[in-house]
Amino acid sequence: MDTNCFIRPAIEADIDAFFDICLKTANGGEDASALYSDPNLPGYIWSVPYLKFATDFAFVLVQDSRPVGYVVGVPDTRRFDRDLQTNWWPFVRQQVAGLAPTHPRDADVMERIQNPRSGTAWLQDQYPAHLHINILPGRQASGWGRRMIGTELQALRHHGVGAVHLGVDPNNERARGFYRHLGFSEFEQDGSVAFAMRIDEGLG
């Protein structure tokens, strides 16, 4: 494990890194730059709103003073979704107004922005919190992913959270193996894949 890396709380100045890391990992953990006409599109959904509205649960992995990964989470998924409905999605819709889908994944993300949805609603009663983690391809499989998940779970646990879940690209076998190794339970429903864990029973 590299000693020139460390984890710190995320700050507002990390917003560009959050957009960039999300884009560079949005294709099953690989670079998705060629799949979006606007490089900010994936970050509008999967990274930046957490930095904006759940800052206490946002952390970055830094290497040589540069963020190379992040882990984010929220203690109450339904409350977070309501906050975004009021305070985030109207702003994002203004940012993408007039953008015509020209790249393979533009239409899907723009539809999500217009009609936000949770792919894991069926898990939220039992596992109300959720998290996301992304690390740039060159830093994956370095041991830092486990430490970042541990940092996030500790923050959620200190907030009184009892259980957490996350969604995974069904085609990302490496990610699925990673979460199994950490002790998450795997669930599938209607083509969606998710992992969940009792905070007081899993990785510390």
Side-chain angles (χ1 to χ4, degrees):
M1 187 178 293
D2 292 343
T3 56
N4 63 336
C5 291
F6 63 92
I7 300 167
R8 64 162 171 79
I11 56 176
E12 181 71 20
D14 293 321
I15 187 169
D16 288 343
F18 268 58
F19 275 122
D20 183 62
I21 294 166
C22 192
L23 177 69
K24 297 293 177 54
T25 56
N27 186 22
E30 301 295 332
D31 191 352
S33 297
L35 303 179
Y36 297 97
S37 58
D38 181 336
N40 287 348
L41 282 176
Y44 283 139
I45 296 176
W46 293 296
S47 66
V48 174
Y50 296 86
L51 177 61
K52 294 283 191 180
F53 299 101
T55 311
D56 290 346
F57 305 96
F59 303 91
V60 292
L61 176 64
V62 177
Q63 180 181 30
D64 299 325
S65 77
R66 170 176 166 255
V68 295
Y70 61 76
V71 61
V72 294
V74 299
D76 185 330
T77 298
R78 290 189 174 119
R79 179 178 297 176
F80 180 70
D81 288 345
R82 289 194 297 269
D83 288 346
L84 297 191
Q85 200 70 257
T86 302
N87 300 309
W88 179 242
W89 298 123
F91 163 76
V92 175
R93 288 167 192 143
Q94 290 180 344
Q95 303 306 299
V96 302
L99 181 66
T102 59
H103 287 55
R105 296 199 182 166
D106 286 352
D108 175 65
V109 167
M110 292 171 69
E111 198 278 329
R112 287 173 178 263
I113 290 169
Q114 295 302 325
N115 301 289
R117 61 186 184 272
S118 175
T120 56
W122 46 284
L123 279 175
Q124 291 170 19
D125 285 338
Q126 192 172 359
Y127 303 93
H130 79 268
L131 64 84
H132 292 292
I133 181 172
N134 280 308
I135 302 174
L136 290 175
R139 301 304 318 141
Q140 294 170 9
S142 63
W144 282 100
R146 180 185 179 90
R147 294 186 65 177
M148 292 174 73
I149 293 288
T151 298
E152 183 64 50
L153 295 186
Q154 184 178 45
L156 291 169
R157 186 183 296 116
H158 285 171
H159 193 74
V161 172
V164 63
H165 73 274
L166 58 103
V168 175
D169 182 339
N171 298 316
N172 192 338
E173 284 298 333
R174 182 168 53 183
R176 295 173 75 164
F178 171 68
Y179 293 116
R180 292 184 196 115
H181 182 69
L182 293 187
F184 283 81
S185 298
E186 186 170 3
F187 299 87
E188 291 193 43
Q189 180 169 302
D190 300 328
S192 296
V193 174
F195 287 81
M197 176 189 283
R198 294 291 311 176
I199 298 256
D200 50 2
E201 296 173 0
L203 181 72

